[in-house]
């Protein structure tokens, strides 16, 4: 983690230095030539300086150890930083759009030169190298703020290219398209800023893990001989290197407490060893497969659920003998795509399954249904 923070901080410092140089050069060119698109591009680079500072601060915060107020650490500071960077980019783009519209209306003069064109070409090359550098660092250390900076640098290549185009058109055809070029740049940057903001906000809102990750976790658990099923896998993201997994594992009810504990420990350790999570919490669901009528009723329950929605699954189906009645418990996992209400699904399964229970249970029975989305 310490090495990761050093790499991120180093990348941030490099970004600050390069962006200050580029922004200053463009600002001078923009004022001398009277180009609103070049001035806007320069201001965009100054916002990149601010975003690099935010990135540095985020790495400093993310590197802090967990404390009483933040038991899961400060890793999400990077996601917040990524969002701030995106918001700054959008704000700059909106101001550029206003300036561009003003230029179109007023018809300002543009003094284009070969020196300006050459410097803009050099700026594009530098920004492209920076985007590759940021992307490489972002992948290496798993940083969303670095990935956002890479996207921003790529967008700068495009915005500077549009500014360069306006200069070339003015030099060769003596047609001033600077205001329109600036407006195109602004709209493009706004779109990319919104896209980048969405990517950084999703982890803060608790986005789910990728299907490949869920499948790998499931494969690890089901590879154990005594595991009968796995469900309710949740990956909680608290920042890079701070992912927590919670899951339910169905195991034979006749396992001793010590055997069950050792089994779950093996699952947890393998998931952590494969770096799929930094911590794993497994809830055991004991299943008594030999209970009279259990298998038959479980199959009936699955058939009923499948008729409602083919993607609904049944988990943790078990029956417990009480003194005067039998308690039937099971979990229903409903896909997010299903439009039916959870309560309606639970009641329908409960009603239809109750009719089947009389064939297998002589005693009175009660039924507990837990519905979850996943």
């Amino acid at each position: 983690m310490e090495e990761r923070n050093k790499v991120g901080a180093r990348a941030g410092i490099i970004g600050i230095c390069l962006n200050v140089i580029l922004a200053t050069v463009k600002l001078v060119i923009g004022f001398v030539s009277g180009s609103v698109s070049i001035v806007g591009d320069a201001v965009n680079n100054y916002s990149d300086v601010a975003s690099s500072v935010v990135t540095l601060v985020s790495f400093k915060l993310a590197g802090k150890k967990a404390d009483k107020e933040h038991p899961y650490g400060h890793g999400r500071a990077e996601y917040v930083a990524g969002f701030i960077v995106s918001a700054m980019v959008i704000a700059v783009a909106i101001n550029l759009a206003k300036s561009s519209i003003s230029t179109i209306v007023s018809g300002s003069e543009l003094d284009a030169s070969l020196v300006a064109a050459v410097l803009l070409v050099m700026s594009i090359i530098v920004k492209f190298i920076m985007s590759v550098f940021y992307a490489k660092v972002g992948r290496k250390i798993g940083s969303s703020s670095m990935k956002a900076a890479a996207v921003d640098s790529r967008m700068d290549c495009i915005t500077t290219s549009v500014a360069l185009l306006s200069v070339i058109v003015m030099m060769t055809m003596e047609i001033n398209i600077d205001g329109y070029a600036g407006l195109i740049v602004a709209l493009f940057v706004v779109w990319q800023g919104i896209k980048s903001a969405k990517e950084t906000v999703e982890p803060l809102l608790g986005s789910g893990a990728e299907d490949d990750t869920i499948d790998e976790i499931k494969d690890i658990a089901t590879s154990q001989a005594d595991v009968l099923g796995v469900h309710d896998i949740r990956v909680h993201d608290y920042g890079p290197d701070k992912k927590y997994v919670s899951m339910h594992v169905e195991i034979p009810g006749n396992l001793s407490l010590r055997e069950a504990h050792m089994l779950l420990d093996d699952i947890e350790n393998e998931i952590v060893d494969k770096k799929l999570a930094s911590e794993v919490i497994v809830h055991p669901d004991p299943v008594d497969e030999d209970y009279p009528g259990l298998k038959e009723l479980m199959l009936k329950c699955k058939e009923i659920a499948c008729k409602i929605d083919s993607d609904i699954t049944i988990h943790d189906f078990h029956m417990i003998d009480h003194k005067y009645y039998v308690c039937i418990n099971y979990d229903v996992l409903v896909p997010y795509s299903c439009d039916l209400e959870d309560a309606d699904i639970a009641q329908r399964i409960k009603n239809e399954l109750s009719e089947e229970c009389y064939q297998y249970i002589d005693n009175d029975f009660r039924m507990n249904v837990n519905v979850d989305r996943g």
Side-chain angles (χ1 to χ4, degrees):
M1 190 67 177
E2 185 177 347
E3 180 62 26
R4 178 181 184 277
N5 292 336
K6 286 181 180 179
V7 172
R10 195 180 304 124
I13 292 171
I14 292 172
I16 290 173
C17 295
L18 290 175
N19 280 315
V20 166
I21 295 171
L22 289 175
T24 304
V25 171
K26 288 179 184 177
L27 198 61
V28 172
I29 296 172
F31 281 130
V32 171
S33 64
S35 170
V36 66
S37 60
I38 296 178
V39 171
D41 200 24
V43 175
N44 187 30
N45 285 149
Y46 277 124
S47 76
D48 293 341
V49 174
S51 69
S52 294
V53 173
V54 172
T55 300
L56 278 175
V57 174
S58 76
F59 273 102
K60 185 71 175 176
L61 289 173
K64 290 178 63 178
K65 294 181 179 179
D67 52 38
K68 186 177 180 181
E69 288 76 23
H70 307 89
Y72 297 105
H74 302 75
R76 283 183 173 175
E78 286 192 37
Y79 301 145
V80 176
F83 176 74
I84 293 173
V85 170
S86 302
M88 292 172 67
V89 170
I90 294 171
V92 170
I94 291 173
N95 285 328
L96 175 57
K98 292 178 180 177
S99 300
S100 299
I101 293 172
S102 177
T103 300
I104 294 171
V105 173
S106 62
S108 302
E109 292 294 324
L110 176 63
D111 183 15
S113 68
L114 182 60
V115 174
V118 171
L119 289 174
L120 288 176
V121 170
M122 292 175 63
S123 173
I124 293 170
I125 294 172
V126 172
K127 271 296 182 178
F128 177 76
I129 293 173
M130 287 176 67
S131 72
V132 174
F133 171 68
Y134 281 138
K136 185 177 180 180
V137 173
R139 287 193 300 269
K140 181 180 179 181
I141 65 177
S143 169
S144 61
S145 56
M146 278 294 160
K147 292 175 183 176
V151 172
D152 189 28
S153 294
R154 287 197 295 273
M155 295 310 101
D156 287 346
C157 290
I158 296 173
T159 57
T160 307
S161 296
V162 176
L164 174 62
L165 177 64
S166 70
V167 171
I168 293 173
V169 169
M170 188 64 188
M171 290 173 58
T172 57
M173 304 179 185
E174 296 186 354
I175 300 175
N176 188 355
I177 62 168
D178 188 53
Y180 299 98
L183 187 58
I184 292 171
V185 168
L187 294 175
F188 190 76
V189 173
V190 167
W191 176 67
Q192 285 297 326
I194 292 172
K195 182 180 177 182
S196 182
K198 181 176 180 293
E199 291 174 355
T200 55
V201 166
E202 283 183 347
L204 293 173
L205 296 177
S207 59
E210 296 179 356
D211 291 340
D212 290 344
T213 301
I214 297 296
D215 291 340
E216 193 170 353
I217 292 172
K218 189 178 294 185
D219 290 341
I220 290 172
T222 54
S223 65
Q224 299 287 338
D226 286 321
V227 171
L228 305 174
V230 182
H231 57 98
D232 289 348
I233 299 175
R234 299 285 186 268
V235 179
H236 313 273
D237 190 339
Y238 288 93
D241 299 327
K242 288 290 182 182
K243 289 182 173 58
Y244 295 79
V245 170
S246 61
M247 58 196 294
H248 287 224
V249 173
E250 297 175 12
I251 58 176
N254 57 4
L255 285 183
S256 68
L257 181 58
R258 182 180 297 276
E259 290 171 330
H261 185 269
M262 290 175 63
L263 171 64
L264 301 186
D265 269 353
D266 288 342
I267 295 172
E268 292 172 356
N269 292 334
E270 188 173 350
I271 292 172
V272 173
D273 289 343
K274 291 190 175 181
K275 301 188 183 304
L276 296 173
S278 52
E279 187 175 322
V280 183
I281 301 171
V282 180
H283 175 81
D285 289 332
V287 177
D288 184 3
E289 292 187 301
D290 296 327
Y291 194 96
L294 183 141
K295 290 183 180 179
E296 291 80 3
L297 285 175
M298 182 168 63
L299 288 173
K300 290 289 184 182
C301 187
K302 290 181 177 180
E303 288 176 9
I304 295 168
C306 191
K307 285 191 297 182
I308 299 173
D309 189 307
S310 59
D311 291 324
I312 293 178
T313 54
I314 305 296
H315 305 284
D316 194 18
F317 194 101
H318 60 278
M319 298 163 68
I320 303 172
D321 249 331
H322 288 274
K323 187 174 182 180
Y324 300 109
Y325 63 89
V326 175
C327 188
I328 305 171
N329 300 286
Y330 55 93
D331 294 340
V332 180
L333 187 62
V334 181
Y336 293 115
S337 57
C338 184
D339 295 330
L340 298 174
E341 294 292 330
D342 291 355
D344 294 337
I345 294 172
Q347 193 60 49
R348 180 171 168 182
I349 295 175
K350 192 173 181 179
N351 290 343
E352 293 192 33
L353 187 62
S354 294
E355 297 175 6
E356 303 287 343
C357 288
Y358 295 107
Q359 301 180 38
Y360 305 98
I361 302 175
D362 297 328
N363 204 350
D364 289 337
F365 61 88
R366 296 179 184 177
M367 197 176 297
N368 296 320
V369 186
N370 177 49
V371 179
D372 196 8
R373 292 272 170 170

